[in-house]
Amino acid sequence: MGKQPTERSEKQSPIERLSAFIVDKRKAFYLIYIGVAIFSVFSSGWVAVNDDLTSYLPDTTETRRGLTIMDEEFVTFGTSRIMVDNIAYSQAEALAEQVEAIEGVKSVEFDGTEDHYQGGGALLSITYGGTASDPVSLAALEEVKALLEDYDVYVTGDTGDSASESLDAEMQVVMIIAVVIILVVLLFTSHTYMEIPVLLMTFGMAALMNKGTNFIFGEISFVSDSVAVVLQLALAIDYAIILCHRYTEEREHLEAREAVVAALSKAIPEISGSSMTTLSGLGAMCFMQFKIGYDLGLVLMKAIVLSLLAVFTLMPGLLMSFSPLIDRTHHKNFVPQITGWGRLAVKTRFVMPPLFVVLLIGGFVFANRCPYAYGQTDLTTFRKNDTQIAQAKVNGTFGSVNTLAVLVPRGDYEQEGRLLREMDRMPETDTVLGLANVEAMDGYVLTDRLTPRQFAEITDLDIEVARLLYSAYAVDQETYGQLVSGVDSFGVPLIDMFLFVYDQMEAGYVSLDDDMTETIEDLHQQLTDAQLQLKGQDYSRMVLQLNLPEESEETFAFLDTLHGVVAKYYAEDAYLVGNSTSDLDLSTSFGKDNLLIGILTIVFVIVVLVFTFKSSGLPVLLILVIQGSVWINFSFPYLQNEPLFFLSYLVVSSIQMGANIDYAIVIANRYVELKQTMPLKEAVIESLNEAFPTIITSGTILASAGILIGFLSSNPAIASIGVCLGRGTLISIFLVMGILPQILLLGDIIIEKTAFTLKARLPVQAHSGTMRVDGHIRGYISGVVDADFSGLLHGSINAAVEAGAVQPQDLPETALSGKEGTSHV
């Protein structure tokens, strides 16, 4: 390849010494990475994955506080709504009885009403003996499925929900397809075939390290766990490509070792600077009130840092080790020159920017009218899993269920009863359940206060035995004052008295006849279940079924009304908890998060750009283009009248601003450098030519990753992030390649006036023919020249002359031969 050994400078910079150390100690680094890889394989299974988005709500929200109370004080039994289609009512009745006989099934609700049977479809509402994740409930569900396997069955509910498992399987498919697409892109844009395995090994190690170190967070969200690897690949593979291209350039005139050292020493500052904008965008997510942003931001920031580490310490050794194969597998450049596109951009520079301004204003208006969804019920995905298909079938036949819990301080059953009755009269509630309206026997509810005589009547106890029990209860509860006025007037809530009698029976203090003993024992299990679900240590829980959608203006208005009703009975320490309240809380925090993240992202990125370009005007122009792409991206949901999951906006706007700004930086860097030695129009055209391979490689990978996630994931939150990311990246590429060059041309005066250290641009001289060149020039003379030059030149020059002059000469061709300093073209 015509490489010549070069003299090494005796005095190397610190970064050159570090680069040489990394290359020379590559085998030691190999051993370290092998050990890290083995460790990461095992440690990747240590991290806990949280499927519950509500757990990331701010601690101050009503839903989060209410959920904490429910977790601490109440038991919520697992449930399933199972629809058996194309079945006769009599068969469904028989099946319900068989299901209820299965161990672990607590109860099965089924009757002849339209709520449970219509159109040949039967709905079995099953409650299990444990929570949704309890092995008892899961085992019972599997037995139910086995019993119904010969029927047309649709299973929904919170028990046995394998959303995280199906999401993992989907992401594995996404990853495989993404790798294939990356291979195709790299084959198209690479310089040699053998650099592709080097790139894949580098990224594979970075991805494995990131997954293997997630355990340091203890627990991560299913969002971070599912998309981190794909986004890491899309966001960070640029760094490996930059180093690889640097090496290829240096290898043209240096031996392998020196080429790797030189490439690494030049790439470290470039890659580090490039990564700062991405890290800034991700860092802004960590300030979200909704802590899912903090979770995803930390995981992805760690992914970027580990990717940098792999590129800086593993990849140089791989390049060195594979250098003979890299040298032998060079291929022609498949990336075309886009000079025609550049000329079109120059010609339309007075047409497209005004259109972009119109598009920018429209994007801003439409993006701010984007319809957001805060729950996942109303979201649709291109791909649906079995659970979603079943949910659609059951909801389409029997309607959806919107459950709401009301938590109030316990202790006053009468007050609870009045509240329950008022809520039951509200037209928005279908059913209302609480201890104060659950009928026990003979028309009495569980919280009714019964005297000894009333208790004796419903239990057929002797009145004297009942009085003794009441006296014993008063002593047990240390309510001696009740006995002063006479035990006959002492009223005890029915549930408390039954549980006390059962405890006395178990202790052997009370003996009842066989029938009464059996009745008490049967009631005890029901009362215990009711107490576990509805009566806590400090709070009572009431459960409402609403006939409203989970998320709508009408639902949110009803929640405000319900708050007012509850406040009449409990001025404080009362909470509403459910999917609807969660959506309301998320909508409230979204407005603050949206403003905060938008401002922080722009501020962080501008700070990085100001230090990168040492200019205040150029960063604003770059931000304008990328922010425009964000607004245009989020105009689509409004124009399509489709709700957008709020998290998609927060995540994608940060990533789009932090990552896609790199495309604008690539072109701006080239332009600022080339305009010193070329006319502005030609500098723009050449900038596009030089930047196109980098942008098309990175952009295609990021857009493909997003689109794959969007089309192949059945999880609405994940799919929504993927669609927005893919679409946003394509819009950014178009604006960066089409509009940014024109803005740079028209705004060059702003760039010049706002530069901190930029030297005044020397006028570019253009000559052709024979000329005498005497002085320091920098530019194009049938190639790039940056040197002190003295002599005659025959050909063409297009360069800035920093000192000296260029004087056209009129000499015969023969006079040029053999002269020192003469360039023949």
Side-chain angles (χ1 to χ4, degrees):
M1 296 177 64
K3 304 165 191 65
Q4 299 296 328
T6 59
E7 290 187 22
R8 295 177 57 196
S9 172
E10 293 183 5
K11 187 176 182 181
Q12 292 181 310
S13 67
I15 197 168
E16 287 174 330
R17 290 197 296 272
L18 175 62
S19 300
F21 174 81
I22 292 171
V23 174
D24 293 338
K25 303 298 182 183
R26 58 188 177 279
K27 292 183 179 178
F29 280 104
Y30 291 164
L31 289 175
I32 293 173
Y33 275 106
I34 289 172
V36 170
I38 295 172
F39 173 80
S40 296
V41 168
F42 291 99
S43 62
S44 60
W46 298 349
V47 65
V49 178
N50 188 342
D51 292 334
D52 183 14
L53 281 179
T54 61
S55 63
Y56 294 95
L57 284 167
D59 294 335
T60 56
T61 60
E62 180 182 32
T63 303
R64 183 64 265 153
R65 286 183 289 172
L67 286 171
T68 300
I69 292 170
M70 289 207 304
D71 290 341
E72 293 174 350
E73 297 199 12
F74 300 97
V75 173
T76 302
F77 292 113
T79 60
S80 290
R81 297 176 81 211
I82 300 181
M83 176 180 171
V84 185
D85 206 7
N86 303 313
I87 188 173
Y89 179 77
S90 58
Q91 285 180 289
E93 265 190 322
L95 278 179
E97 293 177 2
Q98 294 177 54
V99 169
E100 194 162 20
I102 291 175
E103 185 179 356
V105 173
K106 183 175 288 295
S107 65
V108 177
E109 187 179 347
F110 176 76
D111 54 41
T113 65
E114 288 189 352
D115 290 339
H116 289 279
Y117 187 84
Q118 57 176 297
L123 181 65
L124 308 181
S125 299
I126 303 173
T127 301
Y128 300 99
T131 61
S133 59
D134 194 302
V136 171
S137 302
L138 298 176
L141 175 60
E142 291 305 313
E143 287 195 47
V144 172
K145 288 180 178 178
L147 175 66
L148 303 176
E149 63 182 354
D150 294 331
Y151 296 88
D152 188 6
V153 177
Y154 301 89
V155 180
T156 68
D158 57 2
T159 304
D161 185 6
S162 58
S164 59
E165 295 177 9
S166 62
L167 188 58
D168 285 341
E170 290 167 0
M171 286 302 108
Q172 289 175 12
V173 174
V174 169
M175 193 64 195
I176 292 171
I177 300 176
V179 169
V180 172
I181 291 176
I182 289 169
L183 283 173
V184 173
V185 172
L186 292 179
L187 283 171
F188 179 73
T189 59
S190 64
H191 297 99
T192 74
Y193 293 118
M194 201 56 209
E195 71 185 42
I196 296 174
V198 172
L199 293 171
L200 293 180
M201 282 189 284
T202 302
F203 178 79
M205 177 56 69
L208 182 60
M209 286 194 299
N210 191 50
K211 195 168 182 64
T213 53
N214 281 335
F215 74 92
I216 64 176
F217 301 126
E219 178 183 85
I220 63 173
S221 70
F222 74 95
V223 177
S224 302
D225 185 60
S226 57
V227 303
V229 173
V230 180
L231 290 183
Q232 180 184 8
L233 172 61
L235 293 171
I237 199 168
D238 281 1
Y239 311 145
I241 292 173
I242 290 173
L243 177 58
C244 205
H245 286 180
R246 279 286 187 185
Y247 169 73
T248 303
E249 293 171 7
E250 298 296 334
R251 188 73 174 101
E252 289 295 326
H253 55 86
L254 293 174
E255 292 299 325
R257 179 190 176 280
E258 283 69 25
V260 177
V261 172
L264 181 59
S265 61
K266 293 178 180 177
I268 287 176
E270 181 180 354
I271 294 172
S272 300
S274 175
S275 68
M276 287 305 298
T277 54
T278 304
L279 289 171
S280 296
L282 297 174
M285 289 169 52
C286 295
F287 290 89
M288 286 169 54
Q289 291 186 68
F290 187 39
K291 294 304 180 183
I292 194 74
Y294 179 80
D295 180 85
L296 184 58
L298 280 185
V299 172
L300 288 179
M301 287 174 72
K302 178 166 64 69
I304 298 299
V305 171
L306 291 175
S307 297
L308 291 173
L309 185 65
V311 169
F312 292 157
T313 60
L314 175 62
M315 190 174 177
L318 294 176
L319 288 172
M320 182 66 192
S321 299
F322 284 90
S323 60
L325 291 173
I326 293 175
D327 291 344
R328 291 199 295 268
T329 56
H330 274 264
H331 59 75
K332 70 175 184 178
N333 187 5
F334 298 122
V335 180
Q337 293 283 303
I338 55 169
T339 303
W341 174 267
R343 288 173 178 163
L344 178 64
V346 170
K347 288 180 180 179
T348 58
R349 65 188 182 279
F350 297 112
V351 177
M352 295 304 294
L355 291 178
F356 172 66
V357 171
V358 174
L359 202 59
L360 194 68
I361 296 172
F364 174 78
V365 173
F366 295 150
N368 280 280
R369 294 181 180 178
C370 178
Y372 292 106
Y374 302 96
Q376 301 185 43
T377 305
D378 297 332
L379 298 176
T380 58
T381 55
F382 293 97
R383 182 181 182 276
K384 288 182 170 56
N385 58 34
D386 292 341
T387 301
Q388 290 169 317
I389 294 171
Q391 192 75 56
K393 178 69 174 178
V394 174
N395 289 349
T397 306
F398 295 100
S400 59
V401 175
N402 187 5
T403 304
L404 182 69
V406 179
L407 305 179
V408 297
R410 60 166 279 189
D412 191 335
Y413 289 141
E414 292 182 7
Q415 189 163 282
E416 289 178 26
R418 292 195 297 273
L419 174 58
L420 282 167
R421 288 189 290 274
E422 182 166 354
M423 291 191 298
D424 196 31
R425 290 193 296 268
M426 300 178 79
E428 295 87 355
T429 60
D430 282 339
T431 63
V432 177
L433 176 66
L435 285 176
N437 71 350
V438 175
E439 185 174 346
M441 55 198 313
D442 293 351
Y444 292 111
V445 297
L446 291 177
T447 57
D448 281 343
R449 289 182 172 273
L450 272 63
T451 63
R453 183 167 298 280
Q454 291 171 315
F455 187 76
E457 288 173 355
I458 67 171
T459 58
D460 291 331
L461 278 176
D462 182 81
I463 185 62
E464 293 303 325
V465 174
R467 286 169 177 158
L468 284 172
L469 285 172
Y470 269 64
S471 298
Y473 178 87
V475 173
D476 183 69
Q477 299 295 312
E478 298 182 357
T479 55
Y480 306 106
Q482 299 288 345
L483 300 178
V484 174
S485 57
V487 71
D488 285 339
S489 62
F490 184 21
V492 178
L494 185 59
I495 183 174
D496 295 343
M497 199 64 217
F498 268 124
L499 292 173
F500 176 74
V501 170
Y502 179 84
D503 290 340
Q504 298 305 303
M505 284 173 47
E506 289 293 295
Y509 298 136
V510 175
S511 296
L512 303 175
D513 61 50
D514 292 343
D515 290 341
M516 195 63 226
T517 299
E518 185 177 351
T519 300
I520 295 291
E521 288 176 346
D522 289 342
L523 272 174
H524 177 261
Q525 185 60 52
Q526 299 175 37
L527 297 176
T528 301
D529 290 345
Q531 193 171 38
L532 288 173
Q533 297 179 83
L534 303 175
K535 182 181 179 182
Q537 182 176 349
D538 299 309
Y539 286 85
S540 291
R541 178 164 67 171
M542 307 170 191
V543 181
L544 286 63
Q545 298 291 345
L546 307 182
N547 52 35
L548 296 171
E550 177 187 316
E551 180 182 353
S552 70
E553 291 184 7
E554 183 185 5
T555 304
F556 292 164
F558 170 72
L559 293 179
D560 286 337
T561 302
L562 186 57
H563 272 115
V565 170
V566 174
K568 290 194 302 184
Y569 299 91
Y570 300 92
E572 56 185 19
D573 293 334
Y575 303 95
L576 307 185
V577 186
N579 287 340
S580 294
T581 65
S582 171
D583 297 343
L584 179 59
D585 286 336
L586 288 172
S587 68
T588 303
S589 66
F590 171 70
K592 299 175 183 177
D593 280 342
N594 188 13
L595 181 62
L596 179 66
I597 299 307
I599 293 174
L600 288 179
T601 301
I602 291 175
V603 168
F604 289 164
V605 171
I606 282 183
V607 169
V608 173
L609 293 180
V610 166
F611 280 98
T612 300
F613 291 104
K614 296 179 174 59
S615 166
S616 58
L618 184 55
V620 173
L621 296 178
L622 302 186
I623 290 287
L624 186 67
V625 172
I626 300 302
Q627 184 60 58
S629 72
V630 173
W631 287 334
I632 294 170
N633 185 20
F634 292 105
S635 297
F636 278 80
Y638 170 77
L639 298 174
Q640 295 169 340
N641 195 28
E642 292 182 358
L644 172 71
F645 191 51
F646 79 103
L647 185 62
S648 304
Y649 183 87
L650 295 173
V651 172
V652 174
S653 60
S654 297
I655 293 177
Q656 193 175 345
M657 177 61 74
N660 292 174
I661 195 74
D662 283 350
Y663 308 156
I665 292 173
V666 170
I667 291 180
N669 263 327
R670 300 289 196 281
Y671 173 74
V672 169
E673 181 179 347
L674 291 173
K675 75 172 187 168
Q676 296 299 313
T677 59
M678 303 175 71
L680 297 181
K681 296 177 184 178
E682 293 184 22
V684 162
I685 295 171
E686 188 59 30
S687 296
L688 289 175
N689 268 328
E690 292 185 11
F692 180 65
T694 301
I695 294 174
I696 198 64
T697 303
S698 174
T700 302
I701 291 172
L702 185 56
S704 299
I707 292 170
L708 282 172
I709 292 173
F711 279 85
L712 296 180
S713 175
S714 60
N715 182 281
I718 303 300
S720 180
I721 290 174
V723 169
C724 293
L725 184 60
R727 183 177 61 217
T729 301
L730 293 176
I731 294 171
S732 296
I733 292 173
F734 175 77
L735 293 183
V736 164
M737 295 296 295
I739 302 298
L740 179 61
Q742 300 169 333
I743 291 178
L744 291 176
L745 268 180
L746 298 178
D748 187 73
I749 184 71
I750 298 175
I751 299 172
E752 293 283 348
K753 295 294 185 182
T754 58
F756 302 153
T757 59
L758 192 65
K759 293 189 297 183
R761 189 169 67 90
L762 296 170
V764 175
Q765 299 187 30
H767 302 282
S768 60
T770 303
M771 66 207 80
R772 173 171 290 281
V773 181
D774 187 10
H776 187 88
I777 63 173
R778 186 172 187 269
Y780 285 81
I781 306 179
S782 299
V784 179
V785 173
D786 187 353
D788 292 322
F789 192 96
S790 180
L792 292 178
L793 179 140
H794 181 62
S796 61
I797 182 171
N798 192 339
V801 182
E802 296 181 5
V806 176
Q807 297 178 343
Q809 300 286 311
D810 187 14
L811 297 175
E813 183 73 22
T814 55
L816 297 172
S817 59
K819 292 197 176 195
E820 184 179 354
T822 301
S823 173
H824 293 279
V825 182

